[in-house]
Amino acid sequence: MGDGFPVVGIGASAGGLDAFKKLLSAMPIDTGMAFVLIPHLDPTHASLMVELLARQTTMPVREARDALLVEANHVYVIPPNADLTIEHRVLRVTPPPARRGSYTAIDVFLRSLAADQGARAVGIILSGTGSHGSLGVTAINAVGGFVLAQTPESAEHDQMPRNAIATGVVDLILPPEEMPKALLRHAAEPSASGADVAPGDLAQIVFLLRTQAKRDFRGYRTNMLMRRVRRRMGVCHVGRVAEYVEFLRTHPEEGQALAKDLSIGVTAFFREPEAFQVLERVVIPDLVQRSRHGDEARPVRVWVPGCATGEEAYSIAMLFLEEFGAAKRPVAPQVFATDVDDESLDVARAGMYPDSLAAALSAERLRQFFVKANGHRYQVSKALRDVITFAPQNLISDAPFSKLDLIACRNVLIYLEPDVQAKIIAVFHFALNEGGYLILGPAESIGPATDRFEPISKKWRVYRRIGGARRDLVEIPILPTTAQRPRTTRHDERPRPPAAIAELLHRTLLAEFAPAAVLIDRRYQIRSVQGPVVDYLEFPPGELTRNVLSMARSGLRPGIRGVCERALKSQRPATDANARVKRHGTYVPCTVTARPVTTPTDPDGLLAVTFQDATVRTKGTKGAARATSHRHLDDVTLVRDLEHELKATRDDLQGTIDELKTTNEELKASHEEVLSMNEELQSTNEELESSKEELQSLNEELSTVNSQLQDKVHELDASNNDMVNLLASTDIATVFLDADLRIRRFTPPTTRLLNLLPTDLGRPFRDIAPQVPDPTLVDDARRVLETLTSRETVVRDGHARAYLRRVLPYRTADKRIDGVVLTWVDITQRLAAEAESRQLTTVLRDSNDAVALFDLDGRIIGWNRGAERLYGYTEAEARARHLQDLVPESLRASTLDLLRRISHG
C-alpha cells in the first residue's frame, strides 16, 4: 500500500448508525488504518454518536476537532454543523458555508481525502437517502483509491448505496459486517512491482482490451496504464502482471472493469471556476460578437472531446446561452461532445445528475437550466440539451470535427504519451477556425506548438489559434486503425496454414467487380457498407449521421427514396436506371437498386442498396463519329433529364411540405395544450419539490437523532429494570402520585397493603380503600405539594401491624415538583423491640441493687437508684466521675485490667 497507512472515509445518513455499529463491531483493533465517520447529523442538536459507537469497539473513538493529527487504529466522528477536511493527515473542522438544497459534508471530506491521500484513500458509502457521497467516491477512484458500498438489500435506506454503485467506480459491494475482511485483504496486498513487467505484458493487456472491451488505449502513458493495472490486480488478488494477463484472458468481465477504470471520467459542473471565468469574460463574448457579420449570422461551433458524463459540455453551453441571451442574439451554439465510453455518453445524453450538483451552481442557473426529477436528481432543461450533440469518438483513431470556434479538451492529454499529445495539438490547430480558441487542463500545455497558438491565460491554459493551416503536421488517424496482435511465445504454437485459395479469389472478385452497396434498415440507417460508396455518399457538414438520405450526393436522394419505397411495398427488388449523381461538378448517370433482405435479428427486414455507374459502349471510330454528330442531341436529352429530375424533386418536396404542414398544425395545437398544462404542473412541482427538499433534509436529521435516542431508550430500559428490581427487593410499599394525586406507578409490595391492581393506574388515590386506616393521608399529600416538606406518621392495619408512612415531594431531573411519593415501611418488629427495651430499662432503673454502666475507658455512663442509695451520688453527679473513684483501692487494679481485656476482645 505504499508509505503511511490507509485513511478510510465512511459516509452515511438515514439508517447509518446501525451500519456504523455493524462495521466497527466486526473491525479488529489493530488494522493499521484510521477511520473517519461522516454521518448526516442534525446541526441544531448535540451528537451522541461518539458515546454510542465507543461501545462497539475498543479503538479510541473521538469527535474530530481542528488541527487533530490522524492516527492509525483510531476512529474520528465529524461534529454537528461543521465541514470536515483532511490535509497532510491533519483534520480541519470549519463552519459549513451557506449553501442551499441538499448540501452535505460527505462529499466534501471524501474529495479532500482523495486529494490528500491519493491511492491510500478508501471510501465507503453506507445506508442513507439521496446521492451523498457519489461525487466523493468518484474522486477517490480517479486517484486510484479503493471504494466500497453497502449492499442495498442490507441497508435501512438504499438510495445512497445505489447511487454510489451507479457511478460505476465501486470496487466491492458488501454488507457492513463483511467490509473489515475486504479492507484487511486490500491493505495486505503488496504493490505490484514494475520489475516483473515483461516487455510484451502491457501490449498484451492493451490488445485484450481492444478485443474484449472494444477500447483502444494505445498512446496512453505507460505509468498511468500500469498504475490502473496494479489497482485492478489488487482488487483481483493477483500478484504478478503476467498472471494478470492470463486472468484477463479467462475472465472477459475483468477486461470491462479495467477499461472502465482506465476511462477516467472525473468531471463536474464548472470545475475549476477560475478557468470558466476566463471563458465567460474573454472567450465567449468574443465568439458571440464574431458570430454576426452584418445581417448574416452563423452558429458558434464548439467541440468538447473527452466529455465523460457531460458536465463540462453543459457548463460551456450554459455560458454561451447566457451570453447570447444578454446580447439578444437568436443564434445558439453547436456543441459537439465526444467520448470513448458509451456508458458515460448515455449518462450525458440523459442529462440526469444527482442533487449534489446544486453546490456548484448558482440558484439562477439551477432554476433556468434544470428541472427537479424524482429520486433526488436534477435533469437538464430541453433548451440546454438541444444545443449539445453527444457522440462516441476516439481522439487517437477517429477523424476530428472541423471549422470550430472553440475546443475544450481539459485533462485528457495528461493521460497520453508526449508524441501523441503533439499530434493531437496539430489536429486541434487544423480543426479550429482562424482566431479560434483552445482550452486545456491546468496540468497540460501545447508543447512545441508555440508558433501556432498565442496564450490568452497561461495559468488556465487558454490559447488562440494563429497562423495558417498546417496540413503537413496533421495525421488522421493519429495511430493506425489496425494493430498487430502482440506475439507471445508458446511451446504448443504451430505454424498457421496459408489462406484458402477460394477465399483469396473471393476477396479479389469483391474488390474488383462488386458494386458499391449499403445495408440499411427501414429508417434509412446504414448498418454496413461495401465497395466504393464514396462515389455516391459523403459526410455532410455538422452533426455526424448514418442516414443514407442525408449522406447521399446531390441528385441521388430521390432515386434512393423511390427504389426503397417500391422495394418495401412489393418485397421485390426495385431499380432506378435513370438516376444521376453529381460528382466533380457534373451529373453522372447511374443505376440504383434496392433488394429486401430478411434476417432473424431484424423482424422488420433490411434493404441492400447498390449503386453502379451507367456504362457507355463505343464501337471504334464509327461510334466516336456518331457520338460527335449526336453531341447536340445528347445535350438536349441531358437538359430534358435534368428538367424531369427537377420536376420529380419538386413534386416530392411539395408532398413532403404538405404533410409537414398538416403535422405541424396538429403538433402546434397539441403543443399549446401541453405547454399550458406543463406550466401549471411546473409551478406545482416547484412548490412540491421545495417542500420535499426541506422535509428530506429534516427526515435525515431526525433519522440520525432517532437512532441515537433508540440507544438511549435501551439504556433507560435497563436502568428502569434495575430500579424496579431494587424497589421490589426492598419490600417497601411505594406509590407514585402525580400533581392531581392520581396513581402513576406502584411497587409490588403495595398490592398486598393497599389492594391495588394494574388497572388502578390513573385513578384518583382517594378512590382506593386501603387495608391500613389512614384518614389524614390525602390531606398530608396535598400539604406536601403546597409546602414541599415531607410528612410521616405511624399507622396500623387490622392485624396489629404497624407502618411508618411517609409522604415526600416527587422531584424531576430539572428540579420540578411533579407529584408526591408515598412509602409504607413495616416497623412492627422495631416497635416491639423498643417496648421490650423500655421495660428492661424500667426494671433496672427501679432495682434495689446498685447498677452502674461504664464505657471501656472507665467513665460512668449509667446510674440507677440503687447506686444512688449506695454511693450517695445522683446520676448527674456520677457521670462526672471515673470507675477508680468508686471502686475500693484493693479492687481497682483487677477491675481496670478486666476493662482492658474486654476492650481488646
Side-chain angles (χ1 to χ4, degrees), residues 461-491:
R461 303 298 193 269
V462 181
Y463 305 91
R464 182 190 288 118
R465 181 204 173 203
I466 58 175
R470 296 287 304 274
R471 297 177 180 268
D472 57 312
L473 300 177
V474 178
E475 297 181 24
I476 300 176
I478 292 174
L479 295 177
T481 56
T482 60
Q484 296 296 324
R485 174 170 181 164
R487 294 185 59 83
T488 55
T489 303
R490 297 190 180 181
H491 296 292

Side-chain angles (χ1 to χ4, degrees), residues 614-821:
T615 58
V616 179
R617 296 181 179 178
T618 61
K619 298 183 179 179
T621 57
K622 184 178 179 179
R626 185 177 301 170
T628 302
S629 65
H630 292 288
R631 184 178 301 167
H632 178 70
L633 183 60
D634 291 342
D635 291 341
V636 173
T637 304
L638 176 61
V639 171
R640 188 180 299 121
D641 290 343
L642 291 175
E643 290 176 349
H644 178 73
E645 178 185 338
L646 180 60
K647 183 177 182 304
T649 302
R650 285 176 176 172
D651 293 342
D652 185 26
L653 180 61
Q654 186 60 45
T656 304
I657 291 174
D658 293 340
E659 294 178 3
L660 183 62
K661 285 183 179 179
T662 303
T663 304
N664 282 343
E665 290 176 359
E666 297 174 355
L667 290 176
K668 185 177 180 181
S670 301
H671 177 71
E672 291 176 353
E673 297 177 3
V674 172
L675 186 62
S676 176
M677 296 175 59
N678 183 63
E679 290 177 354
E680 298 177 2
L681 292 174
Q682 183 66 30
S683 176
T684 305
N685 185 60
E686 289 177 357
E687 297 175 1
L688 292 175
E689 289 297 339
S690 177
S691 301
K692 181 181 178 181
E693 289 177 1
E694 297 175 1
L695 291 174
Q696 182 61 40
S697 179
L698 180 60
N699 180 60
E700 292 179 0
E701 295 166 0
L702 289 177
S703 177
T704 303
V705 173
N706 182 60
S707 298
Q708 299 179 33
L709 291 179
Q710 283 181 349
D711 276 32
K712 277 295 182 184
V713 167
H714 294 326
E715 295 180 12
L716 291 175
D717 284 343
S719 300
N720 183 63
N721 292 333
D722 294 341
M723 188 61 65
V724 169
N725 283 277
L726 174 63
L727 292 176
S729 63
T730 57
D731 203 28
I732 297 176
T734 306
V735 179
F736 299 91
L737 306 181
D738 61 16
D740 296 326
L741 301 185
R742 294 179 179 272
I743 299 173
R744 176 184 291 164
R745 191 174 185 178
F746 55 85
T747 59
T750 312
T751 57
R752 300 190 303 271
L753 187 64
L754 302 181
N755 294 326
L756 290 179
L757 299 174
T759 55
D760 291 330
L761 294 178
R763 290 182 56 189
F765 188 74
R766 61 176 175 272
D767 295 346
I768 302 300
Q771 294 184 358
V772 181
D774 193 355
T776 64
L777 176 58
V778 176
D779 293 334
D780 286 348
R782 290 198 179 97
R783 291 191 187 95
V784 168
L785 284 174
E786 295 171 357
T787 63
L788 306 183
T789 303
S790 60
R791 303 175 70 87
E792 63 180 35
T793 187
V794 176
V795 296
R796 298 179 182 274
D797 62 7
H799 303 287
R801 301 196 66 83
Y803 298 90
L804 177 62
R805 185 263 292 162
R806 290 193 180 96
V807 184
L808 303 94
Y810 182 94
R811 300 180 187 273
T812 62
D814 54 356
K815 308 301 181 183
R816 292 187 301 105
I817 304 300
D818 195 26
V820 295
V821 181

Side-chain angles (χ1 to χ4, degrees), residues 86-384:
I86 184 170
E87 183 178 353
H88 304 301
R89 292 190 183 273
V90 175
L91 297 177
R92 298 296 179 187
V93 179
T94 57
R99 284 194 174 122
R100 61 190 301 283
S102 57
Y103 169 77
T104 71
I106 299 175
D107 283 305
V108 171
F109 178 78
L110 292 181
R111 295 175 79 173
S112 74
L113 178 64
D116 187 62
Q117 296 299 302
R120 286 189 297 270
V122 179
I124 298 178
I125 299 299
L126 300 177
S127 171
T129 58
S131 58
H132 313 315
S134 296
L135 295 177
V137 295
T138 302
I140 289 176
N141 173 266
V143 297
F146 191 50
V147 178
L148 297 92
Q150 182 175 358
T151 51
E153 297 77 15
S154 68
E156 186 175 340
H157 298 272
D158 63 359
Q159 291 181 1
M160 271 180 57
R162 289 190 185 278
N163 283 319
I165 295 168
T167 63
V169 302
V170 176
D171 295 304
L172 293 175
I173 305 170
L174 299 169
E177 55 271 22
E178 296 181 16
M179 290 182 177
K181 293 182 180 178
L183 289 175
L184 292 173
R185 192 165 54 244
H186 172 71
E189 287 291 342
S191 298
S193 172
D196 67 339
V197 182
D201 285 342
L202 197 57
Q204 283 286 330
I205 291 175
V206 172
F207 177 80
L208 287 171
L209 290 176
R210 292 189 69 192
T211 57
Q212 293 178 353
K214 309 303 179 185
R215 301 282 184 85
D216 189 357
F217 291 101
R218 295 173 300 156
Y220 278 60
R221 289 182 181 269
T222 301
N223 58 353
M224 189 279 291
L225 287 172
M226 281 310 307
R227 186 169 62 250
R228 291 286 163 170
V229 167
R230 288 167 184 163
R231 199 184 89 82
R232 290 304 308 173
M233 289 171 62
V235 174
C236 299
H237 313 300
V238 177
R240 297 179 60 82
V241 178
E243 296 173 1
Y244 184 68
V245 173
E246 237 5 84
F247 186 84
L248 276 176
R249 285 198 184 97
T250 56
H251 297 78
E253 68 280 2
E254 176 58 21
Q256 299 289 343
L258 177 59
K260 185 70 177 177
D261 234 16
L262 289 168
S263 302
I264 303 169
V266 181
T267 185
F269 286 96
F270 296 97
R271 185 173 56 153
E272 294 158 350
E274 295 85 352
F276 280 92
Q277 288 177 6
V278 176
L279 286 177
E280 185 177 7
R281 296 171 182 173
V282 179
V283 175
I284 292 178
D286 180 44
L287 294 177
V288 172
Q289 181 66 29
R290 286 158 47 186
S291 67
R292 179 176 291 273
H293 295 282
D295 295 333
E296 293 186 2
R298 65 174 183 84
V300 177
R301 290 167 60 85
V302 182
W303 182 23
V304 185
C307 68
T309 49
E311 288 91 330
E312 189 156 294
Y314 283 119
S315 300
I316 294 174
M318 283 185 236
L319 296 181
F320 271 105
L321 291 178
E322 290 173 348
E323 185 64 28
F324 274 113
K328 297 182 179 179
R329 299 277 183 87
V331 180
Q334 293 179 351
V335 181
F336 305 101
T338 62
D339 200 271
V340 297
D341 188 356
D342 291 332
E343 293 183 6
S344 296
L345 289 174
D346 290 340
V347 175
R349 290 189 185 101
M352 190 84 69
Y353 298 99
D355 53 8
S356 53
L357 67 86
L361 295 172
S362 65
E364 176 61 25
R365 282 175 177 159
L366 198 64
R367 183 195 64 78
Q368 181 179 357
F369 296 113
F370 293 86
V371 293
K372 194 68 184 293
N374 294 330
H376 308 279
R377 301 177 77 80
Y378 282 96
Q379 186 168 27
V380 298
S381 64
K382 185 177 185 298
L384 178 60

Side-chain angles (χ1 to χ4, degrees), residues 3-25:
D3 298 333
F5 54 85
V7 178
V8 184
I10 310 174
S13 68
L17 180 59
D18 181 62
F20 282 142
K21 287 181 176 179
K22 292 179 179 177
L23 178 62
L24 291 180
S25 61

